Amino acid sequence: MAAPRKENIRDAILDATSELLRETDFENISLAKIANAAGVSKGTIYYYYSNKDDILFDVADRYLNGLMDELIQWVDNRDKDTSLVRMIGFVLQRGMADEFGNLRLYLIGASVSGHDALRRRYVDLYAQFQRTLASRISQRAPQADADYIAWLILVITDGLLIQKQLDPPNFSSEDFLNKSVKLLDFASKDDFMNNNSQ
């Protein structure tokens, strides 16, 4: 029987860590717990990762790169209506429906509360995501202030995720999303989000 490939073991470790992060904080997850969930030995984990933070970095990288890849595939699909308004709606909907919302909130929380290495990593990935989003916005609406719209989408997406996780009784995330897309569509027609507006 052939030995498992390196990528498969690394993926198993990251999958197990992601699943554990859906249930508990990273500080409460031991390497032994990750190894058990991944079906590998603790020594195997040390073969791939020197510490728990390195695992968290790879989880963050894989998670954010997955979101970016989804966006690029959706936008580059020429068979779809990928107008600016539809793209904004897609990004907001995808961000709100994220099955790993707790993981994303954990990564943000850890980043802003003292985990400097993770913060730097997360900020770099966020900037990359913003640049990718801005470039796609520029393709769809060359006159638009793509940098501003990209940051606006990311800020709204994070806010929607927080409200969805908090689940306040008088807040409908779907309703908010639909009204936000309509407002952004109206604003784009009113020249509010264009580069040449004052």
Side-chain angles (χ1 to χ4, degrees):
M1 180 167 150
R5 295 180 56 207
K6 274 185 168 186
E7 297 82 21
N8 295 343
I9 294 173
R10 188 178 299 274
D11 283 343
I13 292 167
L14 297 178
D15 289 343
T17 305
S18 296
E19 285 301 316
L20 290 168
L21 280 168
R22 292 173 80 175
E23 302 163 7
T24 188
D25 291 337
F26 191 63
E27 290 81 21
N28 297 325
I29 300 172
S30 65
L31 286 174
K33 196 179 258 190
I34 294 171
N36 186 46
V40 299
S41 71
K42 195 172 168 184
T44 300
I45 293 206
Y46 278 116
Y47 178 79
Y48 291 95
Y49 293 100
S50 58
N51 57 55
K52 231 171 52 161
D53 283 350
D54 289 343
I55 297 172
L56 186 60
F57 293 153
D58 275 1
V59 167
D61 284 354
R62 187 170 76 159
Y63 168 77
L64 289 173
N65 286 325
L67 288 178
M68 191 167 9
D69 290 346
E70 275 186 39
L71 170 68
I72 291 168
Q73 286 175 3
W74 187 87
V75 170
D76 290 346
N77 184 345
R78 297 296 178 192
D79 296 331
K80 290 186 174 188
D81 170 11
T82 55
S83 63
L84 179 58
V85 173
R86 294 259 305 138
M87 184 174 67
I88 291 169
F90 172 80
V91 174
L92 292 177
Q93 182 69 43
R94 177 60 185 92
M96 186 180 70
D98 191 350
E99 66 180 296
F100 287 102
N102 287 338
L103 170 60
R104 195 159 110 216
L105 288 180
Y106 173 79
L107 292 170
I108 292 168
S111 296
V112 299
S113 61
H115 199 302
D116 288 336
L118 179 60
R119 184 189 64 76
R120 286 189 300 275
R121 188 84 163 249
Y122 204 72
V123 165
D124 288 345
L125 287 168
Y126 234 106
Q128 183 182 356
F129 191 71
Q130 187 275 337
R131 285 190 303 271
T132 301
L133 191 54
S135 76
R136 293 319 199 257
I137 289 168
S138 292
Q139 291 172 7
R140 296 294 178 253
Q143 78 289 357
D145 186 345
D147 285 331
Y148 166 74
I149 297 170
W151 280 119
L152 180 65
I153 291 168
L154 293 173
V155 168
I156 292 172
T157 301
D158 285 344
L160 276 171
L161 177 66
I162 290 167
Q163 293 307 317
K164 186 173 181 192
Q165 299 297 322
L166 291 173
D167 196 24
N170 58 347
F171 180 79
S172 164
S173 51
E174 285 292 331
D175 189 43
F176 185 88
L177 176 110
N178 292 330
K179 287 180 179 179
S180 295
V181 170
K182 286 179 186 174
L183 178 64
L184 291 172
D185 183 34
F186 175 78
S188 68
K189 291 174 184 165
D190 196 32
D191 240 17
F192 173 71
M193 294 187 294
N194 292 339
N195 279 316
N196 57 2
S197 63
Q198 296 293 322

